[in-house]
Amino acid sequence: MKQTYFTPGPAELYPTLYQHLQTAMDEQIGSISHRSQKFRDIYKFTDQQLRTLLTIPDTHGIFFTGSASEVWERVLFNCVEHESFHLVNGSFSRKFYDYANSLHKFAHLHEKPFGEGFDYADVEVPEYAELICLTHNETSSGVQMRTGDIHKLKRKYSKKLVVVDMVSSAPYPDLDFSVIDSAFFSVQKAFGMPAGLGVWIASQACLDKAERLQKYENLTVGAHNTLPTLWSHYKTFETPATPNVLFIYLLGKIAEDFNKIGIDTIRKQTEEKARMLYKFLDASDAYSPFVKQDRHRSQTVIVATTQKPSADVISNVKQAGMVVGTGYGKFKESQIRIANFPAVSIEQVDTLINQLQK
Ligand SMILES: *Cc1c(COP(=O)(O)O)cnc(C)c1O
């Protein structure tokens, strides 16, 4: 039986993906040179669609990597000489922090328990931290940080660079790139594509920092996909290494589809579906929303504590043709995670709620 995937990545494929994939095959995208005009046109198109979708100004470049976790390493290598600062409240934000330690950065940690979120007023950033590392949507626990709070943090610490992991929420968060220096995501979450491409948005200020580290501090910024190399190739819409041309093409097409609907509509639909899910969970005896504070509840990954073992719930919805995610880590058996990405419609969410009720 064909299933609807409510899993938080890989997730349900966006409905138009099949057609775009067919077109890409017909146009032999898989065989074109990444040094050809045809590729440069594809990169340029995807760049423009993402700029429109996320309101990215000319001060920022858009680069492609193998995955989002690759960007954790890239941004730490390129934007931190000594010290980074991390807000950690779950497994993904924790991994970002772990990467900093692995790269021998002095990583400051501000941690909250699983299921809790951060507010602007909670956060004190140490004086010498150069990069503030934030996770907009903590996929493991279903906690979100409000973009208003992210912007306030940057305004308070305007000399520091701010990078936002928006992997399991983009394009939902209305980040203001006139203040935010960098953000990144991968395509197998809310863009509804198979896994295999990371997208890194970084400002001129990030580039300046990387160049300074390279030239004057005699520090390595890595060898692969360094920001200065990515940027110099980006000027002609090329990439240092042979990229995932097919996925760059598909991403441009999906972003174009999102733009046709309009980002405001996509955000409203996301909020509408999230409202339906939380309302159901709040009223139900069999489930409860894991995240208690309304303002920290994720709009894109909804985590529920289940009365019954989560395996029973998962198999119940599976029989009706739907797949929901397990809880993360030690919550595997007591929670489910429901992705609320643009690929699933209001009707599909309604069907899921009906089945969860049974
Ligand atoms: C999935 C995810 C990542 C890692 O993405 P990959 O594409 O697997 O590298 C990082 N951060 C968050 C918040 C995620 O949900």
Side-chain angles (χ1 to χ4, degrees), residues 67-70 72 92 135 137 139 165 167-168 186 188-189:
S67 65
S69 28
E70 184 191 327
W72 286 333
F92 289 94
T135 302
N137 193 68
T139 321
D165 175 333
V167 180
S168 57
S186 47
Q188 77 276 18
K189 313 256 167 128

Side-chain angles (χ1 to χ4, degrees), residues 42-335:
I42 290 171
Y43 193 155
K44 192 172 173 187
F45 180 81
T46 302
D47 177 89
Q48 280 167 345
Q49 293 301 327
L50 289 175
R51 267 178 207 288
T52 304
L53 187 68
L54 302 173
T55 322
I56 302 169
D58 291 342
T59 44
H60 292 55
I62 304 175
F63 314 103
F64 300 111
T65 62
S67 65
S69 28
E70 184 191 327
V71 182
W72 286 333
E73 176 165 312
R74 300 284 154 255
V75 75
L76 289 161
F77 251 143
N78 286 273
C79 298
V80 180
E81 182 180 359
H82 299 299
E83 301 188 20
S84 58
F85 172 77
H86 302 256
L87 291 186
V88 172
N89 58 349
S91 312
F92 289 94
S93 45
R94 156 78 48 183
K95 276 193 206 166
F96 198 171
Y97 169 73
D98 291 342
Y99 271 49
N101 286 308
S102 295
L103 294 175
H104 295 179
K105 305 298 178 188
F106 188 90
H108 297 272
L109 173 69
H110 179 82
E111 194 170 14
K112 284 227 170 169
F114 203 79
E116 290 183 23
F118 295 98
D119 296 313
Y120 164 75
D122 302 334
V123 184
E124 275 300 324
V125 183
E127 185 177 358
Y128 293 111
E130 302 147 61
L131 179 69
I132 302 176
C133 302
L134 308 174
T135 302
H136 172 260
N137 193 68
E138 178 45 79
T139 321
S140 59
S141 62
V143 171
Q144 198 170 284
M145 186 166 181
R146 288 169 299 177
T147 50
D149 283 16
I150 294 176
H151 299 147
K152 276 191 211 157
L153 258 183
K154 170 67 190 189
R155 289 201 182 92
K156 179 168 176 192
Y157 298 102
S158 59
K159 295 252 160 48
K160 302 182 190 299
L161 296 172
V162 171
V163 59
V164 182
D165 175 333
M166 55 185 323
V167 180
S168 57
S169 51
Y172 174 72
D174 54 346
L175 278 185
D176 179 354
F177 286 99
S178 71
V179 292
I180 298 305
D181 303 283
S182 181
F184 57 91
F185 60 90
S186 47
V187 297
Q188 77 276 18
K189 313 256 167 128
F191 280 83
M193 289 172 52
L197 187 71
V199 178
W200 182 18
I201 301 155
S203 69
Q204 181 71 44
C206 295
L207 176 67
D208 293 345
K209 173 100 189 195
E211 287 179 340
R212 200 161 64 238
L213 296 186
Q214 237 176 1
K215 278 186 204 143
Y216 305 113
E217 313 296 345
N218 200 24
L219 214 99
T220 181
V221 295
H224 184 60
N225 280 346
T226 70
L227 194 51
T229 343
L230 284 167
W231 204 297
S232 72
H233 286 79
Y234 175 64
K235 285 182 183 154
T236 53
F237 292 109
E238 289 189 33
T239 55
T242 320
N244 191 337
V245 178
L246 174 61
F247 275 45
I248 295 169
Y249 170 85
L250 293 172
L251 177 61
K253 290 296 180 186
I254 300 283
E256 182 185 36
D257 293 336
F258 285 180
N259 281 324
K260 282 180 190 157
I261 297 168
I263 188 64
D264 290 344
T265 304
I266 289 191
R267 285 173 179 153
K268 281 203 192 91
Q269 286 168 347
T270 301
E271 285 162 5
E272 171 63 21
K273 290 181 291 169
R275 203 159 31 238
M276 288 161 63
L277 284 160
Y278 283 119
K279 191 174 158 206
F280 163 69
L281 297 174
D282 271 325
S284 165
D285 292 331
Y287 309 94
S288 56
F290 176 51
V291 179
K292 297 302 167 224
Q293 295 293 340
D294 215 24
R295 66 184 186 282
H296 295 147
R297 283 182 181 172
S298 169
Q299 299 296 296
T300 54
V301 179
I302 286 94
V303 178
T305 303
T306 58
Q307 288 294 329
K308 283 189 281 182
S310 67
D312 293 358
V313 175
I314 290 166
S315 82
N316 160 40
V317 297
K318 179 124 210 217
Q319 278 160 19
M322 290 170 284
V323 185
V324 297
T326 62
Y328 203 94
K330 71 173 181 183
F331 294 96
K332 190 173 168 60
E333 273 143 45
S334 57
Q335 293 184 348

